[in-house]
Amino acid sequence: MLDEDGYFGEAVAARYDESSGEMFAPEVVDPAVDFLAELTGEGGRALELGIGTGRIALPLARRGVEVHGIDLSRAMVERLRDKPGGAAIGVTIGDFATTRVDGGFSVAYLVFNTIMNLTSQDAQVDCFRNAANHLEPGGCFVVEVTVPDLRRLPPGQNAVPFRVEDGRLGFDLYDVATQSMSSHHVRVVDGHATYLSVPFRYVWPEELDLMARIAGLRLRERWDGWSREPFTSESRQHVSVWEKADG
């Protein structure tokens, strides 16, 4: 799991919402909240792994869903607490791959590529097991994550840019031998540059399905996005739902 002070400490938390502003837009948030609220059902509870500053948890709670979160970063959670309704959401500080909380849940979910914050296959498997252990029979584990962008890598190249604009540059570095990658962010404000590098482990949809089977879950549905667009060979991301067997 990522070191809070190294990657999601105070410096990152202070500008996280601004730097990820497009992810807070209603057209991005609302379909995710609709999807999760429908899946949770009336009277159900939802567990967010990597709750962060509450981008999804807060609007989901406003729909009447009881939400609990797990997050390693106290600095990110403090930002959540400062927002309207944030103090009412229960949060447990810890590694979401292994940290347990009380009670059962209808839905556990990971959004915005957060599964890749776990930088080993073992940790990702542990996360599936942890999610399954929190779910009630018939409950669902939902993951939103990118499809590895390796088709954009020509021979001899290991970098893929994802942001090129005035004052901001971003690119991913891939190591296809280990499935490790890192995202590099350069930001220039008033002539002063800051640099941040964050490690990840990319993971394929079929690999996630195997992790789910190990944890006692089965694939229920997979979509290109929260609005249930079909998942195809051209999809660059997916929203997958695995279900825990009844009984």
Side-chain angles (χ1 to χ4, degrees):
M1 186 64 181
L2 294 181
D3 180 335
E4 169 188 339
D5 293 331
Y7 304 115
F8 292 105
E10 182 60 37
V12 171
R15 55 181 175 81
Y16 179 81
D17 289 11
E18 176 189 357
S19 64
S20 304
E22 67 277 6
M23 297 303 297
F24 286 78
E27 61 268 25
V28 176
V29 172
D30 290 350
V33 173
D34 289 343
F35 189 106
L36 293 168
E38 177 185 330
L39 201 60
T40 304
E42 185 175 354
R45 302 174 71 216
L47 176 66
E48 180 165 1
L49 307 180
I51 194 169
T53 65
R55 181 179 69 93
I56 299 298
L58 286 169
L60 185 59
R62 288 194 290 268
R63 298 284 185 92
V65 176
E66 181 184 344
V67 182
H68 192 95
I70 300 174
D71 205 289
L72 191 63
S73 172
R74 295 181 185 275
M76 296 283 278
V77 173
E78 286 175 3
R79 296 305 187 282
L80 163 65
R81 294 288 186 225
D82 289 340
K83 297 178 180 180
I89 294 179
V91 179
T92 301
I93 300 297
D95 182 342
F96 64 70
T98 56
T99 299
R100 291 296 307 274
V101 303
D102 293 336
F105 295 85
S106 303
V107 170
Y109 64 94
L110 271 167
V111 297
F112 196 20
N113 301 325
T114 304
I115 185 68
M116 300 198 310
N117 289 156
L118 302 171
T119 55
S120 72
Q121 187 181 68
D122 284 345
Q124 291 173 346
V125 170
D126 287 344
C127 178
F128 270 78
R129 285 177 170 147
N130 195 34
N133 287 336
H134 282 95
L135 291 175
E136 298 169 341
C140 292
F141 183 35
V142 184
V143 173
E144 176 196 28
V145 65
T146 186
V147 174
D149 223 0
L150 301 189
R151 288 195 297 179
R152 296 180 64 193
L153 287 177
Q157 181 175 316
N158 66 345
V160 174
F162 60 84
R163 184 187 299 274
V164 179
E165 59 187 49
D166 288 344
R168 295 184 68 183
L169 299 173
F171 58 94
D172 291 326
L173 290 181
Y174 288 86
D175 184 340
V176 297
T178 63
Q179 279 186 227
S180 61
M181 61 176 288
S182 55
S183 289
H184 300 260
H185 305 260
V186 178
R187 186 179 179 89
V188 180
V189 178
D190 297 330
H192 298 282
T194 59
Y195 169 73
L196 174 68
S197 174
V198 182
F200 297 101
R201 181 185 186 271
Y202 67 81
V203 61
W204 300 97
E206 296 83 357
E207 187 182 6
L208 292 171
D209 291 343
L210 183 56
M211 294 179 186
R213 289 181 60 190
I214 291 170
L217 306 172
R218 65 176 180 84
L219 183 65
R220 171 171 158 170
E221 53 191 286
R222 172 168 291 136
W223 306 99
D224 181 278
W226 295 107
S227 298
R228 292 185 170 88
E229 306 90 342
F231 178 76
T232 72
S233 59
E234 298 302 314
S235 295
R236 299 184 64 182
Q237 66 284 314
H238 61 98
V239 173
S240 296
V241 181
W242 298 272
E243 188 173 37
K244 186 173 184 177
D246 288 326

